[in-house]
Amino acid sequence: MNIKTITSTQNVEIKSVAALQDKKERSKLGMFVAEGVRTCTTLIKSSAKLVQMYTTQAMLDTALSLTHAKFITIVDQVVMEKISGTKTASGLVAVFKIPKHPAAEELSSGMVLANITDPGNMGTLIRTASALSTTSIVVVEGTDPWSPKVIQASAGTIGTVKIFQWDWMELIEKKGDIPLCALVVSGGRPPHKLHDVESLLVIGNEAHGIPQEWIDSCEQQITLPMPGNTESLNAAVAGSIALYLSKIK
């Protein structure tokens, strides 16, 4: 079995992989990077297209259990640390192609991430959506859904959903008859009393929520009843609870 090996951090290919930590390079090359066994396994089992997998010698057997040897490159630990986006390199990094933008006709009920700026929150919301078989995710402004931190927070489930990247006006123009349902701090209906569960749940920015003009564009509003003294929840927590309650009747 002949598997390519790279030992230098100055290798052109390694520099290219390391550069995928940057949004500009991801957009230019049309690729994203994922790390860790669970994340890479989930992506490979989904529709994500693997370009190349990089592994240390210690993780080679695991890599071979995930993909064919032709997609595998063995790297030294120092090289793994260069391409890893984490403090402690896992020993397994993979590069995947960013999927083509889905057509508007493919949009179905799901979730709108309206200026979600924290990668952890975005990845967690994507993971929740996947767990509830919600396949349409519209990203309006905010962080890049293909950043390594979003990929890791989603545990690779981003490969099981369709990511639409539109601005707010594009969403209004392209959503068709699917109603928008804004998650607001107060004044909305409880999630279980939604008129139509087949809607797009709009979750706003962590600090500022949803702009009022965007709320005014939504057909419905929902609010999570909170009997305690907390005014609001973390965006990922609130969005996950709201999506669950709106889907599970």
Side-chain angles (χ1 to χ4, degrees), residues 30-89:
M31 295 185 290
F32 69 93
V33 64
E35 184 166 0
V37 176
R38 180 175 64 173
T39 299
C40 292
T41 298
T42 301
L43 284 164
I44 288 171
K45 288 182 177 179
S46 73
S47 58
K49 187 172 182 181
L50 177 66
V51 176
Q52 194 69 19
M53 181 173 288
Y54 300 88
T55 178
T56 58
Q57 187 67 48
M59 294 290 290
L60 179 57
D61 287 345
T62 300
L64 287 168
S65 72
L66 295 176
T67 189
H68 192 277
K70 67 180 180 180
F71 292 111
I72 295 174
T73 298
I74 300 172
V75 298
D76 284 357
Q77 183 63 32
V78 66
V79 176
M80 179 58 64
E81 290 171 359
K82 182 177 178 66
I83 62 177
S84 171
T86 62
K87 291 182 179 180
T88 304

Side-chain angles (χ1 to χ4, degrees), residues 122-142:
M122 181 174 285
T124 298
L125 287 164
I126 290 171
R127 188 174 180 180
T128 298
S130 176
L132 293 173
S133 296
T134 299
T135 58
S136 288
I137 306 289
V138 183
V139 176
V140 178
E141 300 178 11

Side-chain angles (χ1 to χ4, degrees), residues 4 6 10-18 52 54 73 83:
K4 181 172 66 174
I6 297 178
Q10 299 306 307
N11 179 276
V12 174
E13 182 178 338
I14 294 304
K15 287 184 176 181
S16 179
V17 174
Q52 194 69 19
Y54 300 88
T73 298
I83 62 177

Side-chain angles (χ1 to χ4, degrees), residues 1-232:
M1 180 169 55
N2 186 21
I3 299 179
K4 181 172 66 174
T5 299
I6 297 178
T7 60
S8 173
T9 58
Q10 299 306 307
N11 179 276
V12 174
E13 182 178 338
I14 294 304
K15 287 184 176 181
S16 179
V17 174
L20 292 176
Q21 299 290 330
D22 182 71
K23 179 181 179 180
K24 183 178 179 180
E25 287 301 308
R26 290 193 296 272
S27 298
K28 176 183 175 181
L29 299 175
M31 295 185 290
F32 69 93
V33 64
E35 184 166 0
V37 176
R38 180 175 64 173
T39 299
C40 292
T41 298
T42 301
L43 284 164
I44 288 171
K45 288 182 177 179
S46 73
S47 58
K49 187 172 182 181
L50 177 66
V51 176
Q52 194 69 19
M53 181 173 288
Y54 300 88
T55 178
T56 58
Q57 187 67 48
M59 294 290 290
L60 179 57
D61 287 345
T62 300
L64 287 168
S65 72
L66 295 176
T67 189
H68 192 277
K70 67 180 180 180
F71 292 111
I72 295 174
T73 298
I74 300 172
V75 298
D76 284 357
Q77 183 63 32
V78 66
V79 176
M80 179 58 64
E81 290 171 359
K82 182 177 178 66
I83 62 177
S84 171
T86 62
K87 291 182 179 180
T88 304
S90 68
L92 194 70
V93 169
V95 175
F96 294 86
K97 284 192 174 181
I98 295 176
K100 293 182 179 179
H101 293 296
E105 293 74 21
E106 297 179 57
L107 182 69
S108 59
S109 62
M111 186 182 287
V112 178
L113 307 183
N115 196 24
I116 297 294
T117 57
D118 183 88
N121 283 339
M122 181 174 285
T124 298
L125 287 164
I126 290 171
R127 188 174 180 180
T128 298
S130 176
L132 293 173
S133 296
T134 299
T135 58
S136 288
I137 306 289
V138 183
V139 176
V140 178
E141 300 178 11
T143 196
D144 178 18
W146 303 107
S147 74
K149 290 183 178 179
V150 174
I151 302 301
Q152 295 307 107
S154 80
T157 58
I158 193 169
T160 68
V161 300
K162 294 177 182 177
I163 301 292
F164 301 79
Q165 291 182 268
W166 297 331
D167 61 33
W168 187 259
M169 288 310 300
E170 283 181 298
L171 170 62
I172 298 300
E173 293 168 1
K174 295 178 178 180
K175 73 181 184 66
D177 296 329
I178 305 174
L180 296 176
C181 182
L183 177 59
V184 294
V185 173
S186 61
R189 288 172 168 267
H192 67 277
K193 290 188 177 181
L194 277 179
H195 292 311
D196 187 356
V197 296
E198 299 303 316
S199 61
L200 284 163
L201 176 65
V202 183
I203 302 160
N205 176 268
E206 294 86 349
H208 308 293
I210 307 169
Q212 187 59 50
E213 59 268 32
W214 293 5
I215 294 175
D216 294 341
S217 302
C218 297
E219 288 81 359
Q220 301 180 68
Q221 296 178 29
I222 63 170
T223 295
L224 295 177
M226 287 185 283
N229 295 322
T230 301
E231 179 184 352
S232 62

